[in-house]
Amino acid sequence: MNYSNYPDIQIDLSKCTIPFACKKCLEICPQAVFVTYGIKVERGRETDPNEPGSYGLAVAFQDKCTGCDDCIEVCPEDAITITFPEMEA
Amino acid sequence: MCWICDLYGDPEIEDGRWFLNPENHSRHMYKIKRPEQKAKAYGTDPEAESGKLVADIMAKRLEDPEEFKREVEEANAMKGDGPFQIGQVVPLQEAVKIAELSYPVASMHCICRYHCRGHQECNKDEYSCTGLGVGMLKWERWPERYKGGVHFMDPEEVKAWLTKWNKKGMVHTIMTFGGSFVGGLCNCDYPDCNIIRNRLDYGIETGCVKSHYVAKVDYDECNGCGVCVQRCQFGAIKFEVTQGKTNIDHMRCFGCGLCETGCPSKAIELKDRESMPGLKEMW
């Protein structure tokens, strides 16, 4: 398997504040590249998905990204940028 | 022989199937906490450690693909002797047997889909994962893990519940918690299940070992409807155009039995993996 041509996927977490409640990119990605995780984990208390900053969004499988750009289109905050490495001539 | 059965099976019981050995459902049942001991925080148990180790290996695939390959091979070679959590695919009938052996059985939300798709299962109709054994009675200690609560089920209910998810097209997978203790019975699919993905895409084997079966098509009975092709989560089934029938690649088959339970013309049967010389070492 070739892992060398994976893109650099940046998520601007100052724009993407409620990924768990929004989850548009998580659901649309055909390759299931993204993961969400709780940031404010407190024992005995549920984290409110609508509270900004309570969940984060990360890229777990960038080597599976094909560059279809569905996530960029669907993101209401324009928080995602994808840059593929320059192809060698 | 299946290497997990080699380690944890009893040849006298159920053909040596490790997950049907009652010992693996009871060994840790009375792990009583001493009063001075504090409950470990979620994320510090051996299972989470195993998850971290796998994540460490996975991180290497981007930085150093050669090193990644080497470490995956090492991890696979360790099999049950390593620090890695063991998981195995089981067909429906064996999943039901496991649920009958274990007590209590409680359904809960799926942590993989929660992370991967932001999908929160909140009630007993949505729960798609189970915890087995008395550990489940302490679920309230880890509210982050059991977000959305749990639902305790009796054997009849478990059977109906497993059948429901089987009908929907989910693979049943068991997982160990603490050595050989069978502590989880999940309903998984690709790509949102972590262990299936790690095995199919990255070759990390210990978390998702193939079942004791392999699916075989009876070409006289198959009418080529293609239902099994839709149900296979492992990409093992193709529609063979010139034959007008489906073809199962035994090398890729995990023996989950979804094609068998879904086949309207009963053309698929599960054969014992070990009865086929080319497959008996392929787990």
Side-chain angles (χ1 to χ4, degrees), chain B residues 122-165:
Chain B
C122 301
N123 56 58
K124 70 179 167 90
D125 297 324
E126 294 176 356
Y127 296 152
S128 62
C129 194
T130 45
L132 309 175
V134 283
M136 284 313 293
L137 296 171
K138 304 184 286 187
W139 71 273
E140 280 166 303
R141 282 195 200 162
W142 296 278
E144 313 91 86
R145 174 64 185 89
Y146 300 109
K147 244 173 218 290
V150 301
H151 171 66
F152 287 95
M153 299 188 284
D154 61 41
E156 279 308 304
E157 201 179 348
V158 183
K159 198 176 170 184
W161 181 81
L162 284 167
T163 311
K164 176 183 93 177
W165 285 109

Side-chain angles (χ1 to χ4, degrees), chain A residues 43-62:
Chain A
R43 283 181 147 262
R45 219 167 61 196
E46 288 279 309
T47 318
D48 179 7
N50 289 309
E51 184 194 332
S54 60
Y55 283 84
L57 183 69
V59 179
F61 297 102
Q62 51 270 69

Side-chain angles (χ1 to χ4, degrees), chain B residues 23-184:
Chain B
E23 210 177 299
N24 297 328
H25 292 269
S26 64
R27 184 178 291 171
H28 300 255
M29 282 177 79
Y30 296 103
K31 194 167 65 178
I32 297 168
K33 188 164 64 76
R34 284 187 301 282
E36 69 272 17
Q37 273 181 326
K38 271 191 175 169
K40 281 186 183 163
Y42 171 61
T44 57
D45 46 302
E47 292 72 48
E49 287 296 322
S50 157
K52 277 177 202 146
L53 284 171
V54 172
D56 286 348
I57 297 177
M58 286 286 285
K60 300 252 166 59
R61 79 193 191 276
L62 302 174
E63 298 150 12
D64 188 349
E66 287 303 310
E67 175 66 14
F68 169 68
K69 248 189 227 167
R70 221 173 3 256
E71 290 198 13
V72 169
E73 268 169 34
E74 266 172 37
N76 291 344
M78 269 192 252
K79 297 188 169 170
D81 295 327
F84 299 101
Q85 199 174 7
I86 299 171
Q88 187 168 34
V89 172
V90 289
L92 179 62
Q93 64 270 30
E94 286 189 342
V96 170
K97 274 191 187 176
I98 291 164
E100 280 169 356
L101 263 177
S102 198
Y103 178 84
V105 180
S107 61
M108 62 199 203
H109 85 133
C110 164
I111 195 93
C112 295
R113 275 182 276 283
Y114 171 86
H115 284 306
C116 177
R117 294 296 195 189
H119 177 69
Q120 175 77 70
E121 296 157 0
C122 301
N123 56 58
K124 70 179 167 90
D125 297 324
E126 294 176 356
Y127 296 152
S128 62
C129 194
T130 45
L132 309 175
V134 283
M136 284 313 293
L137 296 171
K138 304 184 286 187
W139 71 273
E140 280 166 303
R141 282 195 200 162
W142 296 278
E144 313 91 86
R145 174 64 185 89
Y146 300 109
K147 244 173 218 290
V150 301
H151 171 66
F152 287 95
M153 299 188 284
D154 61 41
E156 279 308 304
E157 201 179 348
V158 183
K159 198 176 170 184
W161 181 81
L162 284 167
T163 311
K164 176 183 93 177
W165 285 109
N166 190 285
K167 214 170 178 181
K168 284 184 195 244
M170 295 285 205
V171 178
H172 313 297
T173 320
I174 46 169
M175 270 192 230
T176 58
F177 286 82
S180 63
F181 182 64
V182 183

